[in-house]
């Protein structure tokens, strides 16, 4: 029986935003794929960053660029429908034997749309390859020239919105080691207030739009007077709370 | 008063080992620095990887490459003397107005020699810049095509040797979320035995020499029959224990 070649789904990490922070390997894979999907959000610019990053690093002549709209929602039925639709679109190309790339801001292994999509595509029997990249955790820590772990500290990456909503964020922040809070979404303002309340400002670094032209970093007393524009941009905000000196 | 220009200390992340996993930015910085330090270990090859990575990605003609020997020890006086010596060597160049690069395998913000050195150099008043890279956490997760966090899970990065020695590793492994164990050093064999004992094998992925020619990945029942060569290579071993499905 003639086995038709299936295409490979490359989940390609683009790094935090600056095109120069893509890896040599990611650029090479993207040069090779003629069809490149990238996630964006209806009505907002935030998730088009992967596409912008791409444009700064890869020759896009003769490429087919396909934006995939993901709603920023927690409604599981809407999410599942969106992912199902995106997966079907990808599978059309893969079934025709075409390799495709799906972009992911930061690193694809950490809270990424592309990673979730890759699991669906893989479950349908198609080959999936993850191309790693600079995570927003690494990028934010480096922007502040911070050692996340020192010699022997643990580092906890916490989904801010989920932990705040569940009421477990405060206890997690009080535990030993460095904490990195991502995905603050609706609760960015509440989380900043909690950090101030817990007297953690002096150990807190907040990085917004890391590696991009409008990157901003805040620490210490600056947390007390953040501009209002700050709170409308939770998607691209990483909060690092360093370990206590004595740890 | 004439202020003499000081050189900048660039702590440059090289990614996990494969030269193609360096970022475009890291390659550019290394092209610009004429003096490049890289860490290596007396009598062992393990820490020369940064140097090998470099050779695969940057034109080294006319560069001065300086290996810095770090003892793999926990004796604080030996460590402090080694770091002090390395910092002095760097400062000689910086004082002469020369920019220098110090390489770091993986990402410099996570358990790196270069990061620790950067803090010493910065405390002496010299400008320090961290260039982020693909961490071994991201690289190992991507090698296994794993989503570390799903939608709302936390991820804990644990220093294996320190936690095992302190007797806190088991409790940390029993907590919710994904765990990534690094720096297993003396206790790699004990930690693998603990994972088996805790019946975590099916959720465990072990990646050794990630992204290099001799990369090996083990999961599930494979943990029961690891080759003896495996246990002599703890430095380049990352262990990922994924979150329970129900989380």
């Amino acid at each position: 029986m003639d086995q038709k070649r299936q295409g490979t789904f490359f989940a390609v990490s683009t790094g935090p935003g600056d095109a120069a922070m893509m890896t040599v390997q990611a650029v090479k894979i993207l040069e090779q794929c003629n069809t490149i999907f990238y996630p964006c959000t209806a009505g907002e610019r935030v998730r088009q960053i992967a596409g912008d990053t791409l444009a700064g690093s890869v020759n896009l002549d003769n490429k087919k660029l396909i934006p995939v709209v993901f709603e920023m929602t927690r409604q599981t039925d809407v999410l599942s429908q969106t992912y199902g639709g995106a997966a079907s679109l990808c599978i059309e190309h893969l079934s025709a034997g075409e390799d495709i790339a799906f972009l992911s801001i930061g690193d694809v292994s950490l809270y990424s749309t592309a990673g979730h999509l890759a699991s669906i595509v893989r479950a349908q029997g198609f080959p999936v390859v993850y191309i790693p990249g600079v995570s927003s955790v690494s990028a934010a820590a480096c922007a502040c020239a911070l050692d996340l772990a020192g010699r022997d500290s643990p580092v906890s990456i916490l989904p801010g919105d989920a932990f705040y909503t569940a009421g477990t964020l405060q206890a997690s922040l009080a535990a030993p080691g460095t904490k990195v809070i991502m995905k603050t979404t609706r609760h960015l303002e509440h989380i900043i207030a909690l950090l101030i309340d817990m007297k953690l400002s002096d150990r807190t670094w907040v990085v917004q739009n890391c590696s991009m032209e409008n990157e901003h970093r805040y620490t210490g007393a600056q947390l007390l007077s953040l501009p209002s524009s700050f709170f409308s941009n939770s998607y691209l905000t990483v909060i690092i709370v360093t370990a206590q000196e004595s740890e």
Side-chain angles (χ1 to χ4, degrees), chain A:
Chain A
M1 206 176 94
D2 194 22
Q3 181 84 36
K4 199 173 154 194
R5 182 187 176 274
Q6 292 181 327
T8 296
F9 179 101
F10 289 96
V12 180
S13 312
T14 63
D18 180 349
M21 286 190 194
M22 288 185 73
T23 66
V24 174
Q25 181 187 44
V27 173
K28 194 175 151 198
I29 295 283
L30 294 172
E31 301 274 9
Q32 287 168 358
C33 289
N34 290 323
T35 303
I36 301 175
F37 293 86
Y38 64 97
C40 62
T41 303
E44 281 194 68
R45 240 200 104 264
V46 284
R47 287 204 172 196
Q48 290 174 4
I49 288 156
D52 293 350
T53 303
L54 180 71
S57 52
V58 177
N59 181 353
L60 297 176
D61 295 349
N62 307 316
K63 301 269 185 207
K64 206 188 310 175
L65 296 184
I66 306 179
V68 182
V69 176
F70 289 88
E71 301 290 337
M72 287 282 202
T73 177
R74 299 180 70 83
Q75 285 180 271
T76 47
D77 54 336
V78 176
L79 277 174
S80 143
Q81 204 180 340
T82 309
Y83 279 102
S88 300
L89 196 60
C90 294
I91 285 170
E92 267 179 43
H93 290 262
L94 297 170
S95 302
E98 191 186 354
D99 292 343
I100 60 171
F102 202 104
L103 303 188
S104 174
I105 307 178
D107 179 67
V108 69
S109 75
L110 208 55
Y111 302 118
S112 84
T113 300
H116 189 67
L117 208 54
S119 329
I120 302 174
V121 168
R122 184 169 44 184
Q124 301 282 324
F126 293 90
V128 162
V129 174
Y130 279 35
I131 304 297
V134 175
S135 70
S136 52
V137 177
S138 294
C142 285
C144 304
L146 288 176
D147 291 345
L148 284 178
R151 292 197 70 79
D152 281 332
S153 274
V155 180
S156 302
I157 302 170
L158 310 171
D161 184 301
F163 269 45
Y164 187 88
T165 305
T168 52
L169 187 59
Q170 185 160 358
S172 297
L173 287 169
T178 296
K179 293 92 191 174
V180 182
I181 310 174
M182 297 175 72
K183 295 184 72 186
T184 50
T185 55
R186 300 167 297 175
H187 291 302
L188 178 56
E189 193 155 7
H190 300 136
I191 291 170
I192 295 291
L194 176 63
L195 290 164
I196 293 168
D197 201 44
M198 290 178 73
K199 304 201 189 316
L200 293 173
S201 312
D202 288 344
R203 285 163 44 200
T204 299
W205 295 78
V206 184
V207 186
Q208 201 160 56
N209 305 313
C210 190
S211 87
M212 287 172 269
E213 273 177 27
N214 54 345
E215 173 180 301
H216 291 291
R217 300 192 295 269
Y218 307 96
T219 187
Q222 293 170 329
L223 298 194
L224 299 167
S225 54
L226 290 163
S228 60
S229 58
F230 171 85
F231 294 104
S232 59
N233 194 7
S234 68
Y235 180 65
L236 293 165
T237 302
V238 174
I239 302 173
I240 299 172
V241 185
T242 58
Q244 275 188 292
E245 289 271 333
S246 57
E247 282 176 24

